[in-house]
Amino acid sequence: MEGVNGKRVGHLFENISSFVRQCIFSILNVGPVPSHIAFIMDGNRRYSKKQNLLDGDRHRAGFSALINMLKYCYELGVKYITVYAFSIDNFKRRPEEVASLMTLMQEKIDELTKEESIINRLGIRIYFQGNLKLLSDRVKSAAEKAMVKTSGNSRAVLSICVAYTSTDEIAHAVQESCEEMWDDIRKREANNAEGNFIGLEENGKDENEYRIGVTDVDRHMYMSVCPDPDIIIRTSGATRLSNFLLWQSAHCLLYSPTALWPEIGLRHLIWVILDFQRNYLYLKEKKKQS
């Protein structure tokens, strides 16, 4: 009987919480709402020490915070959510720790893509962004399966940055741009060698079009599937970006609550949305000028 009553109370509390959120979000939606929010999930270890948690409990708390933020952003109308899950620099940790993190990552990816998961219930598409070749075969396979499984979802987009740093992303994009340009040049030279003398003007290109520009690099970025973030939220009070979305963050707000990642909640999201709305016209003007 106590168990049944506990479930009823739990459902009642969830319904009341959901109603309150909808009321708050309907008010916030009167103003501009960001299309893309990115999160640097910082403070899991400190939270674990603070609460005397085992590794498994720590990661469960962090995963629960991610699910809650996904739900809140979706309800608010944020189309794109990005999380910094695993840096390339994390591979420098002890081999046994890296192996443990890879196993945990595979478990969480599988959990995200279950039929009854919040990802499928809300219609969220998943992308894994980064140098995926660096991942273990099992994690890479799980990530690829997750992207295929959710490819039909279109209500929102979750980008999970793994084996990622911004400098690696930029280097990758420049390399891809160079290879694309060289392919174009080689095709023109092959045509010339066959007697089809196609000069720059006949080919519809001038000399400047064979130079790599910002738009070329943009097209080849890992994060090209999303617009630039409007807000980056880094928990734990730190204000550095830690090699995350450096190319894309020129005109976004950086919010650094002192809360550790598992402690982040609805009030933090509401506060940052209000700050975004207060600065919206200024940010819009700066983007026009760039």
Side-chain angles (χ1 to χ4, degrees):
M1 181 65 79
E2 287 183 10
V4 173
N5 288 336
K7 285 182 179 179
R8 286 176 180 171
V9 171
H11 285 308
L12 179 62
F13 180 76
E14 176 57 34
N15 289 337
I16 292 171
S17 298
S18 179
F19 175 74
V20 171
R21 284 200 310 272
Q22 294 308 316
C23 291
I24 294 170
F25 291 161
S26 64
I27 294 169
L28 290 175
N29 270 285
V30 172
V33 172
S35 65
H36 185 181
I37 298 179
F39 295 91
I40 300 175
M41 303 183 291
D42 193 16
N44 277 310
R45 284 185 175 186
R46 274 167 283 175
Y47 180 80
S48 177
K49 288 180 181 178
K50 184 177 171 183
Q51 301 293 333
N52 294 316
L53 298 178
L54 299 173
D55 278 354
D57 293 331
R58 175 185 85 190
H59 293 304
R60 271 191 289 273
F63 188 71
S64 177
L66 170 60
I67 295 302
N68 285 334
M69 279 298 115
L70 267 179
K71 181 169 64 177
Y72 299 156
C73 286
Y74 176 84
E75 290 175 355
L76 180 60
V78 178
K79 172 80 173 178
Y80 299 93
I81 304 102
T82 298
V83 294
Y84 197 7
F86 194 84
S87 166
I88 288 176
D89 295 333
N90 291 145
F91 285 108
K92 297 174 184 176
R93 295 181 182 181
R94 291 177 291 109
E96 57 271 23
E97 185 178 359
V98 172
S100 175
L101 288 169
M102 289 292 111
T103 300
L104 177 71
M105 197 182 300
Q106 182 188 347
E107 289 174 2
K108 294 306 177 187
I109 292 170
D110 291 340
E111 195 172 327
L112 275 176
T113 54
K114 286 179 180 176
E115 284 298 319
E116 69 277 11
S117 73
I118 190 172
I119 295 295
N120 288 313
R121 281 192 285 112
L122 299 183
I124 299 173
R125 182 172 187 173
I126 297 177
Y127 286 100
F128 285 88
Q129 312 288 12
N131 192 345
L132 303 187
K133 292 180 291 185
L134 299 176
L135 298 173
S136 67
D137 289 340
R138 283 185 174 184
V139 175
K140 184 183 174 186
S141 175
E144 290 170 346
K145 285 177 183 176
M147 287 190 280
V148 171
K149 273 186 180 181
T150 63
S151 61
N153 296 345
S154 59
R155 294 181 196 161
V157 174
L158 170 64
S159 293
I160 303 174
C161 293
V162 292
Y164 174 94
T165 60
S166 194
T167 45
D168 176 75
E169 179 184 28
I170 294 167
H172 162 82
V174 170
Q175 183 178 355
E176 291 277 306
S177 300
C178 289
E179 288 175 1
E180 182 181 65
M181 190 68 71
W182 275 115
D183 285 344
D184 198 4
I185 291 170
R186 278 193 286 266
K187 285 176 185 175
R188 181 164 54 85
E189 289 177 345
N191 281 328
N192 289 344
E194 291 171 5
N196 303 321
F197 295 103
I198 303 175
L200 289 174
E201 291 182 4
E202 287 81 355
N203 200 31
K205 293 182 180 289
D206 59 30
E207 290 182 6
N208 288 330
E209 287 186 80
Y210 281 102
R211 294 177 183 172
I212 294 170
V214 171
T215 53
D216 299 305
V217 178
D218 260 332
R219 281 189 298 105
H220 292 287
M221 300 293 274
Y222 297 137
M223 293 296 295
S224 61
V225 297
C226 303
D228 291 349
D230 300 295
I231 303 166
I232 293 178
I233 299 175
R234 177 170 187 153
T235 49
S236 82
T239 54
R240 62 189 183 278
L241 290 176
S242 295
N243 215 344
F244 178 58
L245 302 184
L246 301 181
W247 180 271
Q248 298 90 347
S249 59
H251 302 295
C252 78
L253 288 176
L254 175 62
Y255 180 57
S256 305
T258 55
L260 305 174
W261 173 251
E263 297 170 335
I264 192 169
L266 179 62
R267 69 186 187 280
H268 301 103
L269 183 63
I270 292 170
W271 180 259
V272 76
I273 298 302
L274 290 171
D275 192 44
F276 170 79
Q277 292 178 341
R278 188 166 57 247
N279 290 281
Y280 180 73
L281 292 177
Y282 171 76
L283 292 170
K284 192 175 179 182
E285 187 60 33
K286 291 296 286 184
K287 285 181 181 179
K288 280 184 182 178
Q289 293 172 5
S290 64

